[in-house]
Amino acid sequence: NMEWFGLNGSPNNSAGSETRTAADVQHLTDNDVWADVMSFEEVVDLDLLATEVVGRDYRCQSYTNADPKHQHVVICVRNGYTFEKAPDDDNYTLEDVAMSTLRPAVHGIVKDASGTALAHVVALHLKADQNESAKRLAQTELIAKYLANVDQSLPVIDNLVPQPDDVRARSSALPQLSALNDEHRRAALT
């Protein structure tokens, strides 16, 4: 979570006020989290993330939004990989997951340099308020419903982390996603 990245941590700041880029790069380096595929939340300035944080070693993709202070979800892939739209999509988003007032999920397929599909990638900034468990679960169920109808031969990489209050009210969607990924992990080990 980049916390209003591009507005220096606050929606009250203006565009061009971001001062945390060096600290963000240092955080990624110090915590050894430079992965082949990364997702970021609350990114207002997409270009600044691409040029000053992840740099030339990655290509980033998100969606368009007319609000200049919109907090995007972004997926970045390391050079040597591509992030492509799913065959049934035209814009990298699962719009239904936005549920009219929230951010959509970003979705696509990561491919290697030869064009071989490696995984579905889904990133979503879940509603964080403690009393928003029902919305988080509804969003997760929408993603699971969508993924149930896509190429099952590919694993799913996601950033869906349940909140503490979700544990009691957990839907069947999270175990389904987890079971799908466990099956792919077992197949990769054999």
Side-chain angles (χ1 to χ4, degrees):
N1 187 315
M2 301 292 284
E3 191 177 1
W4 292 98
F5 181 80
L7 300 177
N8 210 40
S10 172
N12 299 321
N13 293 333
S14 61
S17 63
E18 188 61 62
T19 62
R20 303 171 294 167
T21 55
D24 291 333
V25 170
Q26 193 63 49
H27 174 79
L28 291 167
T29 301
D30 289 349
N31 293 284
D32 195 28
V33 291
W34 290 104
D36 292 332
V37 179
M38 299 186 294
S39 67
F40 298 90
E41 302 170 353
E42 293 195 19
V43 177
V44 176
D45 192 330
L46 301 169
D47 291 333
L48 188 63
L49 175 73
T51 59
E52 300 294 322
V53 177
V54 298
R56 291 180 291 195
D57 292 336
Y58 289 84
R59 285 179 315 288
C60 299
Q61 187 63 51
S62 189
Y63 51 89
T64 58
N65 189 288
D67 180 355
K69 291 190 175 185
H70 177 77
Q71 295 176 311
H72 291 83
V73 176
V74 182
I75 293 177
C76 300
V77 295
R78 190 185 305 272
N79 290 342
Y81 298 94
T82 59
F83 183 65
E84 299 182 10
K85 296 174 193 161
D88 64 339
D89 198 7
D90 62 358
N91 62 1
Y92 296 102
T93 62
L94 302 178
E95 291 87 353
D96 292 349
V97 176
M99 299 169 52
S100 300
T101 60
L102 306 172
R103 290 166 288 265
V106 177
H107 169 255
I109 297 175
V110 172
K111 295 182 177 182
D112 66 15
S114 71
T116 301
L118 301 175
H120 289 276
V121 177
V122 179
L124 173 65
H125 185 178
L126 291 167
K127 194 71 180 159
D129 298 334
Q130 190 172 13
N131 61 347
E132 298 290 355
S133 184
K135 283 185 183 175
R136 285 191 296 274
L137 293 172
Q139 288 177 299
T140 304
E141 287 173 356
L142 288 167
I143 291 170
K145 181 179 176 184
Y146 171 79
L147 291 173
N149 295 306
V150 300
D151 182 357
Q152 298 297 310
S153 68
L154 296 177
V156 175
I157 301 170
D158 64 60
N159 70 338
L160 305 177
V161 179
Q163 301 292 317
D165 61 323
D166 291 344
V167 174
R168 287 187 311 276
R170 184 176 305 242
S171 71
S172 61
L174 289 175
Q176 286 172 343
L177 289 176
S178 179
L180 177 63
N181 284 328
D182 288 344
E183 178 181 322
H184 286 285
R185 280 189 208 97
R186 282 192 300 277
L189 294 172
T190 59

